[in-house]
């Protein structure tokens, strides 16, 4: 199945099986997956006209995407743009109809679309041309869509392999030193220094599959090759002449004619497999398997350590503690049993910890359900933005478990300010995310980017937050406070026990820093692909791998935290509440460090606004990751501590 990731739709290999099985069984298709039949003449059961839609333009050198209309390309003034879902709007998706119109099996050669004129005497036209040249300088990419499928630009890469890019450049720039940028390698005639060459012509090839001619055909691929022509006859373009060059210094009137050619080719590829040729060009599967094997080795190592402690050391501890019958023996207690009267003592800042646990539980369930739906194929490639929409809706609806978890633990910590607790649970963490998001949106507004969220959408998001999520949090908190406080297996002493001096390895900070290393080691390869999908605009489609890594991350965070918790208890340090949360939550700090490394080593982002946006959005991801992993560690440690003290005899 395919899911939109980072505002971009991405197919999952199960798509073919699901679509084929559903189609064969009962002609029922998941929303957005129903195939469309095309034929040469318009009929009730098939269409003749093929529409080409255009999406936002983006660049690997800038975080700022722009609408197609922001560039001075040929566009329609009348037709209404398709409606966008919440995920598309939040990620800046801007799909609109284009003036490129085709009819099935009707070949066209050098068809004129429009001509754009630029006059040096008009400031508006001069500024449009400057914006267009800046787009070429930053290597902005078109993203076209035919029949809910990306129009790809396929070209040769090393080792004789082909890479199919779901986008193609606006043009290219030859620097003053005569060095071409990446897009320029496709044409050796781009040789003028300090000159822009615009791709004003596209050769489009549409592939179709047809088993029965009378039943119509289904489109299985759309590929194009961008070209540049300074048309010999500007009024009647003939796709001849040298490349269309735009000098850096605008000194005279300039006319740019946009044209296209289209041809249709019959293909043996079936409709259910039409994404495969894009995915096969990426060759990430081997690396993904390496990532999984790397993570499994870490999990097996940790599991062995935990098993050794649980089955040998801990088992011996419990047997030895329970065999102590006399008072003299009881006075010689040692190890983790010594702190049984303090281990469930309420932590400092219990209010904040309970709020973090509530928000973390909300995020954990949201991620689990979203990934589960993605693996099952309920998020369609045709429905762009579906992953983000699903996540936001789930987060809104999961206010109840957030309020319940926060209230239950706050009450068990002895807290009585329930109103403050529920308000902080519903507002604190979402408020930090929204404040960061709003500041980033102000920058996008100022830059005129398509990723800027319209004011109406911001109001809608606030309405979802305060109108649905907050009331649901109050309902969850009501039931949480109504229940009795969590019963602990041992009583709490009235006077806190003195904690002995700790060695370097059993101090809190070294333990917290070490605790995040192994969970991060399980996910850093997967993180590379996720960051690529967000910032380098590559497709992410292996949600089966991601779900498996998610499960491994949960296990690793739990085992690492339990291991360190046991060592600290044996050192007679009973302050485990915050430490268990921070130990696994510190994985987010490693994620932040990796994001900085990724920025400087893999990206070519330039411009102050883009840099601020990158790190602003990264901070949101790091906060979510911190709450998510921290909650896993706390619950694992809470279960472990409750379990071991419930099986040991305490006088």
């Amino acid at each position: 199945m395919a899911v939109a990731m980072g505002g971009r739709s991405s197919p999952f290999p199960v798509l073919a099986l699901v679509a084929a099985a559903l189609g064969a069984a009962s002609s029922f298709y998941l929303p957005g997956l129903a195939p469309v039949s095309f034929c040469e003449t318009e009929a009730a059961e098939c269409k003749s006209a093929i529409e080409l839609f255009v999406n936002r333009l983006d660049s690997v050198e800038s975080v700022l995407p722009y609408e197609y209309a922001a560039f001075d390309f040929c566009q329609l003034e009348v037709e209404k743009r398709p409606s966008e879902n919440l995920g598309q709007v939040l990620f800046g998706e801007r799909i609109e109809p284009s003036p490129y119109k085709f009819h099935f099996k009707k070949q066209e050669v050098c068809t004129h679309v429009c001509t754009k004129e630029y006059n040096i005497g008009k400031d508006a036209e001069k500024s449009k041309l400057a914006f267009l040249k800046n787009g070429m300088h930053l290597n902005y990419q078109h993203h076209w869509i035919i029949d809910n499928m990306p129009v790809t630009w396929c070209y040769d890469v090393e080792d004789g392999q082909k890479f199919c890019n779901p986008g193609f450049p606006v043009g290219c720039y030859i620097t003053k030193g005569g060095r071409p940028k990446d897009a320029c390698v496709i044409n050796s005639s781009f040789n003028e220094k300090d000159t822009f060459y615009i791709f004003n012509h596209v050769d489009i090839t549409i592939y179709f599959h047809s088993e029965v001619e009378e039943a119509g055909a289904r489109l299985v691929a759309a590929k194009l090759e961008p070209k540049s022509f300074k048309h010999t006859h500007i009024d009647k373009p003939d796709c001849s002449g040298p490349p269309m060059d735009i000098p850096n210094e605008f000194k005279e009137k300039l006319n740019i004619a946009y044209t296209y050619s289209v041809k249709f080719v019959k293909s043996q590829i079936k409709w259910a497999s039409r994404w495969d040729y894009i995915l096969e060009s990426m060759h990430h599967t081997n690396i993904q398997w390496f990532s999984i094997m790397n993570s499994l080795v870490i999990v097996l190592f940790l599991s062995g350590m935990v098993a050794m402690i649980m089955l040998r050391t801990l088992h011996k501890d419990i047997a030895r503690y329970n065999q102590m019958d006399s008072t003299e023996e009881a006075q010689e207690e040692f190890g983790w049993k010594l702190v049984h009267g303090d281990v469930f003592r309420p932590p400092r800042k219990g209010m904040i910890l309970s709020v973090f646990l509530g928000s973390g539980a909300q995020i954990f369930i949201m991620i689990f359900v979203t990934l589960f739906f993605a693996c099952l194929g309920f998020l369609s490639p045709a429905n762009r933005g579906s992953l983000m929409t699903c996540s936001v809706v789930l987060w809104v609806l999961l206010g109840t478990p957030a309020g319940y978890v926060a209230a239950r633990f706050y009450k068990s910590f002895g807290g009585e300010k329930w109103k403050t607790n529920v308000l902080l649970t519903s507002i604190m963490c979402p408020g930090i995310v929204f404040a960061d998001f709003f500041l980033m949106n102000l920058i996008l507004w100022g830059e005129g980017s398509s990723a800027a969220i319209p004011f109406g959408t911001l109001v809608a998001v606030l309405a979802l937050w305060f109108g649905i999520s907050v009331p649901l949090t109050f309902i969850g908190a009501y039931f949480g406070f109504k229940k009795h406080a969590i019963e602990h297996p041992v009583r709490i002493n009235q006077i806190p026990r003195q904690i002995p001096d700790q060695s370097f390895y059993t101090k809190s900070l070294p333990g917290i820093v070490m605790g995040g290393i192994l969970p991060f080691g399980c996910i850093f390869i997967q993180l590379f692909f996720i960051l690529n999908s967000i910032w380098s605009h590559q497709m992410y489609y292996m949600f089966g791998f991601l779900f498996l890594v998610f499960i491994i991350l949960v296990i690793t965070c739990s085992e690492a935290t339990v291991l360190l918790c046991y060592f600290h208890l044996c050192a007679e340090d009973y302050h485990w509440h915050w430490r268990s949360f921070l130990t696994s939550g510190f994985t987010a700090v490693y994620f932040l460090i990796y994001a900085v490394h990724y920025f400087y080593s893999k990206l070519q982002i330039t411009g102050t606004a883009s840099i601020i946006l990158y790190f602003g959005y990264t901070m949101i991801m790091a906060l979510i990751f911190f709450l998510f992993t921290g909650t896993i560690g706390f619950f694992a440690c809470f279960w472990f501590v409750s379990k071991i003290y419930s099986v040991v005899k305490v006088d």
Side-chain angles (χ1 to χ4, degrees):
M1 209 50 168
V3 184
M5 184 74 177
R8 194 168 307 291
S9 57
S10 322
F12 193 72
V14 182
L15 170 63
L17 295 175
V18 173
L22 290 174
S26 59
S27 298
F28 170 77
Y29 293 89
L30 294 173
L33 284 180
V36 178
S37 295
F38 292 89
C39 48
E40 294 184 59
T41 54
E42 198 77 25
E45 65 277 359
C46 61
K47 295 166 62 177
S48 172
I50 299 174
E51 289 185 275
L52 188 149
F53 290 91
V54 291
N55 203 343
R56 66 176 185 177
L57 285 85
D58 52 35
S59 167
V60 293
E61 297 181 32
S62 173
V63 176
L64 302 166
Y66 288 100
E67 290 189 53
Y68 183 83
F71 295 86
D72 194 30
F73 299 129
C74 304
Q75 51 195 297
L76 295 174
E77 300 292 339
V78 183
E79 291 195 28
K80 188 179 178 182
R81 67 194 304 167
S83 58
E84 294 155 345
N85 60 39
L86 181 61
Q88 287 177 286
V89 175
L90 292 176
F91 270 120
E93 292 279 321
R94 296 294 184 266
I95 298 174
E96 53 189 84
S98 77
Y100 296 85
K101 304 288 183 185
F102 320 125
H103 286 273
F104 184 65
K105 283 193 176 180
K106 184 182 178 184
Q107 314 278 355
E108 297 189 41
V109 178
C110 202
T111 302
H112 181 241
V113 184
C114 75
T115 300
K116 293 290 182 178
E117 298 180 356
Y118 301 95
N119 196 324
I120 192 171
K122 295 182 179 179
D123 289 339
E125 292 179 6
K126 196 173 180 180
S127 132
K128 286 179 182 178
L129 188 63
F131 191 80
L132 186 61
K133 288 194 290 186
N134 187 55
M136 287 185 270
H137 188 270
L138 293 175
N139 197 21
Y140 269 82
Q141 305 269 317
H142 286 279
H143 294 283
W144 290 3
I145 302 162
I146 289 179
D147 191 31
N148 267 336
M149 185 175 51
V151 181
T152 56
W153 172 39
C154 297
Y155 51 89
D156 293 324
V157 290
E158 66 269 4
D159 301 328
Q161 297 176 343
K162 267 196 179 303
F163 180 78
C164 290
N165 185 4
F168 68 96
V170 172
C172 64
Y173 173 59
I174 305 294
T175 63
K176 291 181 180 179
R179 290 189 301 105
K181 293 197 107 180
D182 293 341
C184 302
V185 298
I186 65 170
N187 196 329
S188 58
S189 58
F190 296 169
N191 47 30
E192 290 289 331
K193 294 181 181 179
D194 198 22
T195 301
F196 295 89
Y197 292 94
I198 188 168
F199 292 125
N200 59 335
H201 175 86
V202 286
D203 285 335
I204 302 172
T205 305
I206 298 175
Y207 297 84
F208 64 92
H209 177 77
S210 176
E211 293 182 356
V212 182
E213 291 290 339
E214 292 75 16
R218 294 173 180 175
L219 306 188
V220 294
K223 300 179 183 179
L224 62 73
E225 185 180 351
K227 293 182 178 178
S228 180
F229 291 117
K230 184 182 283 185
H231 297 286
T232 310
H233 306 286
I234 200 72
D235 296 329
K236 294 182 179 179
D238 54 0
C239 294
S240 63
M244 183 68 222
D245 60 314
I246 305 171
N248 202 3
E249 293 295 325
F250 183 35
K251 297 178 180 177
E252 56 185 15
K253 185 178 178 181
L254 184 70
N255 292 329
I256 303 176
Y258 291 89
T259 55
Y260 71 91
S261 299
V262 62
K263 64 179 180 179
F264 292 83
V265 176
K266 191 169 184 178
S267 172
Q268 296 303 313
I269 298 171
K270 294 190 176 180
W271 182 86
S273 305
R274 63 182 189 163
W275 289 89
D276 290 358
Y277 81 98
I278 303 173
L279 306 183
E280 285 169 1
S281 69
M282 295 187 179
H283 300 292
H284 289 160
T285 310
N286 291 336
I287 301 173
Q288 297 277 7
W289 277 118
F290 171 76
S291 167
I292 298 295
M293 295 308 296
N294 170 66
S295 303
L296 285 174
V297 167
I298 293 173
V299 167
L300 288 172
F301 167 74
L302 267 180
S303 300
M305 291 281 290
V306 172
M308 185 176 67
I309 287 171
M310 296 289 189
L311 298 178
R312 297 184 63 186
T313 313
L314 194 59
H315 183 73
K316 286 179 182 178
D317 288 348
I318 293 169
R320 189 163 58 248
Y321 293 155
N322 290 341
Q323 285 171 0
M324 292 179 180
D325 297 326
S326 67
T327 308
E328 290 78 12
E329 287 177 320
Q331 288 174 353
E332 295 175 5
E333 288 179 351
F334 58 91
W336 52 267
K337 189 182 178 184
L338 273 172
V339 295
H340 66 80
D342 298 276
V343 75
F344 291 106
R345 188 176 300 283
R348 296 172 185 172
K349 307 293 182 184
M351 171 79 81
I352 302 299
L353 180 58
S354 64
V355 168
F356 282 177
L357 291 173
S359 296
Q362 186 178 17
I363 292 166
F364 176 85
I365 301 169
M366 178 195 77
I367 294 173
F368 177 81
V369 175
T370 302
L371 289 178
F372 185 70
F373 281 163
C375 289
L376 289 181
F378 287 105
L379 302 177
S380 160
N383 188 10
R384 289 165 173 79
S386 55
L387 185 71
M388 188 65 177
T389 305
C390 180
S391 300
V392 171
V393 170
L394 280 171
W395 177 83
V396 168
L397 297 177
L398 289 168
T400 304
Y404 181 82
V405 169
R408 286 282 281 155
F409 278 97
Y410 181 62
K411 189 173 182 179
S412 75
F413 295 157
E416 295 177 352
K417 298 178 181 177
W418 67 270
K419 292 178 182 176
T420 307
N421 179 259
V422 69
L423 279 172
L424 285 176
T425 305
S426 55
I427 291 174
M428 183 178 171
C429 295
I432 294 171
V433 171
F434 184 82
D436 189 330
F437 186 77
F438 183 74
L439 288 174
M440 297 304 103
N441 205 52
L442 287 178
I443 296 172
L444 293 168
W445 269 338
E447 296 290 332
S449 171
S450 70
I453 311 302
F455 180 74
T457 306
L458 280 177
V459 173
V461 170
L462 287 171
L464 287 171
W465 179 11
F466 287 101
I468 300 176
S469 182
V470 171
L472 287 175
T473 307
F474 271 83
I475 292 170
Y478 169 77
F479 287 106
F481 279 112
K482 195 176 179 182
K483 289 182 75 71
H484 293 294
I486 299 171
E487 292 185 11
H488 302 306
V490 289
R491 291 193 303 271
I492 301 170
N493 293 337
Q494 290 184 346
I495 302 172
R497 182 185 178 83
Q498 186 73 27
I499 298 174
D501 290 336
Q502 300 291 305
S503 66
F504 175 78
Y505 296 104
T506 55
K507 286 182 179 177
S508 294
L509 188 58
I512 289 168
V513 172
M514 289 187 295
I517 293 174
L518 290 175
F520 179 76
C522 292
I523 62 166
F524 79 96
I525 295 176
Q526 203 67 227
L527 269 180
F528 173 76
F529 292 109
I530 294 172
L531 292 175
N532 268 353
S533 72
I534 297 172
W535 303 115
S536 296
H537 314 298
Q538 294 185 14
M539 286 190 173
Y540 189 92
Y541 58 92
M542 294 187 176
F543 287 94
F545 283 112
L546 184 59
F547 189 73
L548 190 55
V549 169
F550 168 82
I551 300 298
I552 290 171
L553 175 64
V554 172
I555 296 170
T556 312
C557 283
S558 304
E559 292 182 340
T561 310
V562 165
L563 203 60
L564 289 167
C565 181
Y566 174 77
F567 292 149
H568 284 103
L569 290 175
C570 287
E572 300 176 29
D573 184 354
Y574 53 84
H575 293 307
W576 62 270
H577 295 84
W578 270 110
R579 190 168 52 235
S580 64
F581 189 93
L582 295 174
T583 297
S584 54
F586 204 80
T587 310
V589 176
Y590 291 110
F591 163 75
L592 207 55
I593 295 168
Y594 182 78
V596 174
H597 164 75
Y598 179 84
F599 177 83
Y600 286 107
S601 64
K602 301 295 180 184
L603 298 180
Q604 301 112 28
I605 289 175
T606 56
T608 306
S610 291
I611 293 170
I612 293 171
L613 286 165
Y614 175 86
F615 286 105
Y617 286 127
T618 299
M619 291 304 295
I620 293 176
M621 291 188 279
L623 174 61
I624 292 171
F625 199 62
F626 170 71
L627 295 171
F628 162 65
T629 51
T631 302
I632 295 169
F634 178 87
F635 276 105
C637 207
F638 179 76
W639 172 84
F640 171 73
V641 172
S642 300
K643 198 73 176 172
I644 63 172
Y645 284 100
S646 66
V647 295
V648 68
K649 291 179 183 177
V650 177
D651 295 329

